[in-house]
Amino acid sequence: MAKKMHDTPMLDQLESGPWPSFVTGLKRMAKNNDMAVDLLGQLEASYRDLKGYWKGGTVGVFGYGGGVIPRFTELKKDDKPVFPDAAEFHTLRIQPPPGMHYSSKLLRDMSTLWEKHGSGLIAFHGQSGDIMFQGCTTANVQPAFDELNEMGFDMGGAGPALRTSMSCVGAARCEMSCFDEARALRTVINNNLDDMHRPALPYKFKFKFSGCPNDCVNSIQRSDMATIGTWRDNIQVNEKLAKEYFATHGMDKLMTDVVGLCPTKALSVKKISEASKAEGISSVAVNDTHALQIENHNCVRCMHCLNVMPGALLPGKDRGVSILIGGKSVLKIGATMGTMVIPFMKLESDEDYEKLNELARNVIDFFAENALEHERTGEMIDRIGLVNFLDGVGIEVDPNMILEPRSNPYARMDGWDEEVEKWNERQAG
Amino acid sequence: MAEMRQPIECGVPDAKPYMHPTMLKNYGKWVYHSHPKPGVLYHRAESGDEIWTVKAGTQRQMDGYTIRKLADIADQYAEGFVRFTTRSNIEYMVTDEKKVEPLIKALFDSGFPVGGTANSVSMISHTQGFLHCDIPGTDASGVVKALMDDLYEEFIKCEMPNRVKLSTSCCEINCGGQADIAIIMQHTKPPKINHDLVANVCERPTVVARCPVAAIRPALVNGKPSLEVDEKKCICCGACYPPCPPMQINDPEHSKIAIWVGGKNSNARSRPTFHKLVASGLPNNAPRWPEVGEVVKKILNVYKADARPWERMTDWIERIGWPRFFEKTGLPFTKYHIDDWKGHRRTLNASAHIRF
Ligand code: HEM
Ligand code: HEM
Ligand code: SF4
Ligand code: SF4
Ligand code: SF4
Ligand code: SF4
């Protein structure tokens, strides 16, 4: 039995209603857990005063400089915590298996471990992708981490460091997947752990990996380097499934939901007898008379038609990834999205993965050397211009990097002839 | 002192030991999926292997009882393996269609709503809030609980034109991220500086550098080094508060809640978009924030009635235009909707295109 519960009239109102209630969960914990009793007390005070009552500090584990989010209560009376059993309530950020797969045993083991060393409260998962083991005293941080570490789990990132990464479910269960997302994630992160565990970068750096341009892990907007699956050849077609789609949806739906929403007008419906056999055209019969035709050279791999006709249309066979750099949230220049810097690279062989790893390392190094303190990669590019970034990491310019060329003349162009020469050489080579 | 244990720097673990065997066997070899009913996905691999996924909502912050309950359901009704989505939904995989209905029942009976697939309103991605952040203006899990109670039917049914992703953030840093509808704290008054604290706590150059509009200056106050804020310049973003706790930005009355719409992460149809401001000034009304729920439901209802199949929030607004969005939702349009940040003229109508 734990100590007596505090009155929580406001939190109690979050116990009704059909959605699972975290308050009910906390109360269940509080039956034999003093930390949960006092956590509820402090949370109620926050609800009442509309004020957060945590402050940071410095707590860590031996050998690492980050990964623990320290929380000390600020709610004090005569210098004593009002809720002493939750006066220290730190979080351990732990990296999950990529794709967030768990066996029931792993869930139970984690829960048991955290009930022993911490509050028992676990968030699956934080927005950056960590398992957040919430609620630990300073004294218990080390033993909790040691046990998790012995189970094969490692600390995630916090502070000015490489952060925990995320990949979509991808190859494990999605036909849109264009590369092995988990392998790419583990290659890049596990080769750069020093920058995660011993924070010394100008600011945070995030990698994210999405198997296709549906970008289910939000890599363009939320990561400094986004790796997104794509393909170079024609969309693959499956006539049986295309006919099934047509049989249930009909011509109207095919025209409005599929053809009509293609952003680049790459789709059309043709009489089978008139369907093109040219290179770069895929076409699939949807009934005995008509075929859906895709002009692959003008398809921007937006995924829409593949989403609407699953299985009937699939990514091509010559798969790889696109890479975008510089996505971030609001601070300080406003949110920015990543910019396309590598339109296509293969990601199949060991050497391909090694190349991705080298590129990642180059980008981190350039960031480490050139960003100002507390500046994200996107902000740095805003300041120095994309071309200086490309020069720095050794990437050649490509018209896929822009939406349109410059519309102002404010540039010194005395190197024009040399640049033309370079372009011609690249085109020839 | 006892010798400290060196960490084993093992990094990201291999997912294979924790992955459903059918997913492992057909890794990278899936060829088809369908959506048999809300909350259920069907996938087929090249080999002919089939798998059904049942998705359910959770509260994200889970106590031991909840975690063990979810694990027990995995063992009794599924095949011992689960995965989580980025929005804290749990997914159970089964290879026998007959297991689907009992699994759905077990989840509903234990209080985990089944849904969140395809064109539903999925679980709201949320942040830390009062429970664990050191700078929050409001709570996160509570806001989400209150809203998901309101949107429960939209989670368990799939009746929207396309998927709807929501996020909440308890400060303008927006950890919750871009979304079709994002609910974000919006401060309206400059920080009140607690000068007594500044001299002790604050790294003054860091704070000065953090301000996006250079509104903070070092100053001497009562003979002690402190800071001052040019209140005319200050845009109340709160960026100075994390590095400098004496910069009290949170205010029970003047910290309001704003609603943003039309964020999209995917590249489907249009390029990804950021969400845009549509409403602000809503009260931070714990524990259930009813005013926020009203506006969110109003927007969702208009979107549901007016958008065409496959149009995300942003695609729909792009088609009907912003004037009609404000007209249809009945939300007031104010001078604050007109951007004045760097590059803002790109957001102005530089054409004679008008809808009547
Ligand atoms: C000082 C207070 C801060 C605290 C306590 C805090 C806490 C957190 C936590 C716990 C998460 C989720 C982490 C995870 O999933 O593992 C998070 C995510 C995030 N934070 Fe913060 N944060 C703080 C400051 C900031 C600042 C200053 C920024 C931006 C400049 C920021 C931007 C973000 C973003 C964008 C995410 C989402 C990340 C993603 O999904 O990529 N946070 N924050
Ligand atoms: C089975 C494989 C999956 C398929 C076929 C799939 C399909 C899609 C499609 C079609 C879209 C874009 C919709 C549109 O804008 O038209 C999308 C978006 C999204 N998916 Fe998935 N998805 C899958 C798995 C997942 C998983 C496992 C997650 C989360 C862990 C996820 C999270 C998201 C999110 C957050 C978005 C929204 C991005 C945005 O805001 O635009 N998806 N998905
Ligand atoms: S990003 Fe693409 S490959 Fe990955 S889960 Fe989403 S739809 Fe599938
Ligand atoms: S994937 Fe290509 S063809 Fe299909 S809708 Fe998008 S741009 Fe058009
Ligand atoms: S949105 Fe702001 S207040 Fe909320 S968790 Fe993130 S940093 Fe903290
Ligand atoms: S709230 Fe924002 S704008 Fe105002 S002083 Fe602080 S950092 Fe500057």
Side-chain angles (χ1 to χ4, degrees), chain A residues 268-335:
Chain A
S268 56
V269 171
K270 290 267 157 47
K271 284 198 189 120
I272 290 178
S273 55
E274 288 165 19
S276 166
K277 300 255 166 2
E279 180 273 335
I281 304 278
S282 350
S283 107
V284 58
V286 293
N287 64 8
D288 294 342
T289 54
H290 284 80
L292 176 68
Q293 184 168 304
I294 307 166
E295 207 185 306
N296 285 286
H297 290 308
N298 199 36
C299 161
V300 289
R301 279 62 177 163
C302 87
M303 298 306 292
H304 174 74
C305 61
L306 290 80
N307 293 341
V308 183
M309 299 178 67
L313 306 178
L314 284 173
K317 290 183 178 142
D318 184 9
R319 299 177 182 188
V321 295
S322 300
I323 293 182
L324 291 86
I325 302 275
K328 57 170 284 298
S329 192
V330 183
L331 287 180
K332 132 183 177 181
I333 56 170

Side-chain angles (χ1 to χ4, degrees), chain A residues 10 13-14 16-20 22 25 28-29 43 46-47 50-52 54 62 64 71 89 91 95-104 106-108 111 115 120-127 132 134 146 149-150 152-154 166 169 171-175 180 182 185-186 189-190 193 197-198 213-214 218 220-222 241 253 261 263 302 304 307-308 310-311 314 329-333 335-337 374 403, chain B residues 4-15 18-19 23 27-28 30-33 43-44 53 57-68 71-72 75 80-84 86 88 91 93 111 113 123 125-126 128 130-134 139 141-142 145 148-149 152 155 172-178 209-212 239 252 264-269 271-274 284 286-289 309-310 341:
Chain A
M10 294 187 89
Q13 295 176 53
L14 288 171
S16 56
W19 194 260
F22 73 105
R28 244 178 339 237
M29 285 165 58
L43 194 57
S46 280
Y47 267 66
L50 290 174
K51 202 169 166 334
W54 298 114
F62 180 72
Y64 286 172
R71 288 295 173 254
F89 195 79
T91 284
Q95 301 180 80
M100 296 168 175
H101 300 271
Y102 295 82
S103 61
S104 54
L106 179 60
L107 285 180
R108 282 195 200 95
S111 182
E115 284 178 339
L121 188 69
I122 310 181
F124 291 101
H125 298 82
Q127 288 296 330
M132 297 196 294
Q134 298 177 312
D146 286 344
N149 198 207
E150 293 294 334
F153 289 84
D154 200 358
M166 272 168 122
V169 65
R173 201 201 53 207
C174 182
E175 72 272 21
D180 185 342
L185 185 155
R186 295 185 71 225
I189 301 301
N190 289 351
L193 289 171
H197 293 141
R198 282 161 282 273
N214 278 328
N218 206 340
I220 295 183
Q221 293 167 338
R222 305 194 80 162
L241 293 172
K253 286 266 172 201
L261 293 179
C302 87
H304 174 74
N307 293 341
V308 183
L314 284 173
S329 192
V330 183
L331 287 180
K332 132 183 177 181
I333 56 170
T336 65
M337 294 191 206
H374 210 262
L403 291 180
Chain B
M4 297 294 284
R5 174 185 170 279
Q6 281 291 342
I8 305 166
E9 209 152 352
C10 51
V12 189
D14 190 353
Y18 310 115
M19 199 183 286
M23 285 160 85
Y27 195 83
W30 297 94
V31 293
Y32 174 71
H33 87 273
H43 286 85
R44 190 166 64 226
T53 300
T58 73
Q59 64 270 51
R60 186 175 92 147
Q61 330 286 134
M62 300 180 210
D63 58 305
Y65 174 86
T66 300
I67 297 168
R68 271 186 285 272
D72 290 347
D75 288 337
F81 293 89
V82 304
R83 63 174 298 276
F84 288 93
T86 50
S88 305
E91 294 184 336
M93 279 66 61
M123 162 67 162
S125 84
H126 74 290
Q128 305 291 301
F130 290 147
L131 189 71
H132 209 258
C133 191
D134 58 352
D139 196 28
S141 307
K145 158 72 178 150
M148 287 312 291
D149 280 343
Y152 184 80
F155 179 87
E172 288 172 40
I173 284 170
N174 186 210
C175 297
Q178 298 288 327
R210 206 60 64 83
C211 178
K264 174 164 93 63
N265 314 143
S266 91
N267 291 267
R269 302 164 304 282
R271 286 187 289 267
T273 53
F274 286 139
N284 187 5
R288 282 197 158 264
W289 296 270
W310 292 97
W341 190 243

Side-chain angles (χ1 to χ4, degrees), chain A residues 99-165:
Chain A
M100 296 168 175
H101 300 271
Y102 295 82
S103 61
S104 54
K105 175 173 184 309
L106 179 60
L107 285 180
R108 282 195 200 95
D109 288 351
M110 286 183 164
S111 182
T112 305
L113 180 155
W114 196 240
E115 284 178 339
K116 180 164 114 199
H117 295 293
S119 72
L121 188 69
I122 310 181
F124 291 101
H125 298 82
Q127 288 296 330
S128 303
D130 294 285
I131 317 169
M132 297 196 294
F133 289 85
Q134 298 177 312
C136 191
T137 59
T138 309
N140 275 357
V141 164
Q142 186 72 48
F145 172 71
D146 286 344
E147 206 169 312
L148 279 162
N149 198 207
E150 293 294 334
M151 274 169 71
F153 289 84
D154 200 358
M155 200 74 95
L162 175 63
R163 296 301 186 88
T164 300
S165 183

